[in-house]
């Protein structure tokens, strides 16, 4: 069964460093998303991406964040200058427009980012 | 701003018992999703509810949606230990990049 994959599974970085989190969405999906989950808290939407541009972004997704689809398969999230509060699990998701216009999102296994 | 609230936040129950998790949301939506998350793992899609009165069942779990009351329920029948996980409801917004707004989650622990 097709699945969303993410690399790395765990990234440790120092405050102020740049990180790039990588995702390979399901191959026929056209809509891509990033969410984050701080330990013990709920899942929060960061950004959605369609047709090579951002569709929607949350207040969390400030100028330190960017997304890119550099080729036909990868979808990346870059944090330019990490802060301690960026420590979280980051989930990538992808979807297609299915029956009845439903965009059921399939989530990857996540990347745990630890900023020290 | 859309708010999604779940209760209870934590639920400890004995095997064989029934219980219901509630998900209230603050604005009109006809896209309600339920996900399961095991510790340290990703989110697994359980149900997609699309319309008022929708009911879906899979094994011991049954989800329903009342769009007028802005309420979805996840009912657990005769719980077993394998159902122990955190359950999230999420409301979809097709007009906002298909973003999902999640509830706070219900951590379910089923004791043998």
């Amino acid at each position: 069964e097709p699945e969303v994959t993410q690399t790395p599974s765990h990234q440790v970085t120092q405050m102020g460093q740049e990180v790039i989190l990588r995702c390979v969405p399901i191959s026929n999906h056209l809509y891509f998303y990033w969410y984050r989950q701080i330990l013990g808290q709920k899942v929060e939407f960061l950004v959605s991406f369609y047709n090579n541009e951002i569709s929607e972004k949350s207040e969390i997704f400030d100028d330190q964040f960017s997304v890119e689809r550099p080729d036909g398969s990868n979808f990346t999230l870059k944090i330019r200058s990490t802060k301690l509060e960026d420590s979280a699990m980051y989930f990538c998701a992808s979807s297609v427009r299915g029956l009845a216009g439903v965009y059921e999102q399939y989530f990857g296994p996540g990347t745990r980012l630890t900023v020290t | 701003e859309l708010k999604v609230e779940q209760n209870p936040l934590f639920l400890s129950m004995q095997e064989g018992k029934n219980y219901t998790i509630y998900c209230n949301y603050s604005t009109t939506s006809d896209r309600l999703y339920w996900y399961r998350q095991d510790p340290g793992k990703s989110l697994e899609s359980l149900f997609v509810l699309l319309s008022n009165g929708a009911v879906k069942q899979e094994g011991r779990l049954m989800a329903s949606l009342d769009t007028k009351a802005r309420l979805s329920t996840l009912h657990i029948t005769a719980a077993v230990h394998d159902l122990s996980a955190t359950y999230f409801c999420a409301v979809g917004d097709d007009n906002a990049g298909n973003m999902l707004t999640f509830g706070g989650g219900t951590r379910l622990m089923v004791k043998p």
Side-chain angles (χ1 to χ4, degrees):
Chain A
E1 186 176 333
E3 57 183 22
V4 177
T5 60
Q6 290 184 244
T7 54
S9 56
H10 190 193
Q11 173 96 43
V12 181
T13 189
Q14 287 191 327
M15 196 166 51
Q17 295 296 306
E18 175 184 286
V19 294
I20 297 176
L21 309 184
R22 291 183 167 79
C23 168
V24 178
I26 294 173
S27 62
N28 64 330
H29 285 189
L30 300 176
Y31 303 85
F32 314 113
Y33 315 83
W34 284 101
Y35 293 82
R36 79 170 186 193
Q37 184 180 34
I38 295 170
L39 186 63
Q41 297 187 24
K42 67 177 179 181
V43 179
E44 299 174 291
F45 170 79
L46 292 177
V47 66
S48 59
F49 190 87
Y50 169 70
N51 201 25
N52 281 322
E53 61 183 27
I54 290 173
S55 306
E56 189 74 26
K57 60 182 181 180
S58 70
E59 290 177 355
I60 302 167
F61 194 88
D62 62 21
D63 293 343
Q64 293 299 313
F65 291 86
S66 62
V67 288
E68 195 177 28
R69 188 154 161 83
D71 52 43
S73 59
N74 289 286
F75 179 51
T76 62
L77 174 69
K78 182 192 292 186
I79 309 175
R80 287 190 186 81
S81 178
T82 49
K83 303 189 270 286
L84 293 175
E85 54 265 37
D86 293 329
S87 296
M89 182 75 94
Y90 288 80
F91 291 107
C92 173
S94 68
S95 69
V96 286
R97 185 180 173 90
L99 294 174
V102 175
Y103 301 87
E104 186 173 3
Q105 295 181 28
Y106 294 84
F107 284 76
T111 292
R112 179 165 297 285
L113 177 65
T114 302
V115 183
T116 62
Chain B
E1 180 190 345
L2 172 59
K3 287 188 165 59
V4 182
E5 294 184 353
Q6 280 180 246
N7 69 84
L9 297 181
F10 180 74
L11 178 56
S12 177
M13 56 193 297
Q14 296 289 328
E15 279 192 329
K17 297 292 187 184
N18 304 332
Y19 209 83
T20 301
I21 298 170
Y22 297 88
C23 174
N24 289 93
Y25 53 98
S26 61
T27 63
T28 303
S29 175
D30 56 2
R31 302 268 190 266
L32 195 293
Y33 303 80
W34 283 96
Y35 286 89
R36 169 183 170 143
Q37 185 181 40
D38 291 294
K41 303 292 186 183
S42 187
L43 295 148
E44 175 192 354
S45 179
L46 294 175
F47 300 108
V48 180
L49 302 169
L50 300 179
S51 59
N52 189 41
V55 176
K56 289 197 174 177
Q57 182 160 7
E58 181 75 33
R60 300 173 189 274
L61 300 178
M62 183 174 73
S64 66
L65 178 62
D66 181 343
T67 57
K68 293 179 182 176
R70 297 177 188 169
L71 170 69
S72 180
T73 60
L74 181 66
H75 186 73
I76 303 152
T77 302
V80 293
H81 180 66
D82 285 352
L83 289 179
S84 297
T86 299
Y87 293 84
F88 290 96
C89 65
V91 176
D93 188 342
D94 292 353
N95 296 320
N98 314 318
M99 63 179 281
L100 294 178
T101 301
F102 282 82
T106 296
R107 187 174 165 207
L108 173 66
M109 188 178 298
V110 182
K111 298 179 181 177

